[in-house]
Amino acid sequence: DTSHFRRIEQVNKYIEDYYVEQPDYQKITEKAVTSMLSELDPHSMYIAAKDVQRTNEGLQANFEGVGIAFQIVNDTISVTEVIVGGPSERVGLQIGDKLLTVDDTTATFKGVNNNFVFKHLRGKKGTEVRLTVKRHGLDKPLQFTIVRDKVPIYSIDTYFMLDDEVGYIRLARFARTS
């Protein structure tokens, strides 16, 4: 049954023929596709062309940036992982550190989101970023200057043999090189 496709075409025709202003077709098309895919299952999603590179970085063996994973709660960016071998580990950033400023920009504000973090922390290898962080147990904020670098993403973080025949491999994340 193709009637559902005809309804979409019909709505589009009504918009073209009767809507007073020129609509932003790219915006409404992306919203329609996103909405349709969200009804399928939790794994199907639409990724806009502008976001494909950032989305695929998690599947690559490395990316360029400071080398942390983070979580945003309310208005605060907290470090949840310092990637081994990355630039943040080299300067002493720690899990639990809370970002107060990134360069000269306040990093604690209502509405802070992943895009803010990606825009300010990822960047070309060799460029610098200055962070001011609040660390639990310390009264004064700490300051770090981090030189962005290639950040290795290791899929396997633990492995060992239980006995002569049985081994254990922990696949911490799935990436292209897994």
Side-chain angles (χ1 to χ4, degrees), residues 6-40:
R6 277 184 276 177
R7 272 188 288 188
I8 292 171
E9 289 174 356
Q10 191 174 26
V11 168
N12 188 50
K13 178 122 178 72
Y14 284 139
I15 291 171
E16 287 177 359
D17 291 347
Y18 300 111
Y19 195 69
V20 178
E21 298 174 17
Q22 177 69 22
D24 183 343
Y25 280 108
Q26 181 174 347
K27 182 178 178 181
I28 62 176
T29 301
E30 285 192 13
K31 285 187 181 250
V33 170
T34 300
S35 179
M36 286 190 298
L37 291 176
S38 71
E39 294 296 317
L40 296 177

Side-chain angles (χ1 to χ4, degrees), residues 11 25 27-30 42 48 61 70 78 116 154 164 170 173:
V11 168
Y25 280 108
K27 182 178 178 181
I28 62 176
T29 301
E30 285 192 13
F70 61 92
S78 295
F116 174 87
Y154 299 110
D164 289 340
R170 180 174 184 266
R173 62 179 51 88

Side-chain angles (χ1 to χ4, degrees), residues 154-159 168-175 177-178:
Y154 299 110
S155 296
I156 297 172
D157 62 2
T158 304
Y159 60 94
Y168 173 83
I169 299 173
R170 180 174 184 266
L171 187 65
R173 62 179 51 88
F174 186 77
T177 57
S178 295

Side-chain angles (χ1 to χ4, degrees), residues 78-152:
S78 295
V79 177
T80 59
E81 179 183 5
V82 179
I83 298 174
V84 175
S88 290
E89 180 192 47
R90 290 194 288 269
V91 299
L93 210 62
Q94 294 180 6
I95 293 172
D97 286 347
K98 295 178 180 2
L99 278 58
L100 301 176
T101 65
V102 178
D103 290 325
D104 295 323
T105 305
T106 299
T108 55
F109 59 91
K110 186 175 175 74
V112 67
N113 58 27
N114 291 354
N115 288 334
F116 174 87
V117 178
F118 294 140
K119 179 181 175 186
H120 289 85
L121 296 185
R122 290 198 178 165
K124 291 190 182 275
K125 177 180 176 176
T127 59
E128 288 186 351
V129 61
R130 294 179 325 279
L131 301 181
T132 304
V133 304
K134 171 72 175 126
R135 182 168 292 165
H136 182 73
L138 298 181
D139 293 332
K140 290 187 175 183
L142 301 172
Q143 295 190 340
F144 297 94
T145 299
I146 302 172
V147 178
R148 293 180 182 98
D149 201 352
K150 287 238 182 249
V151 177

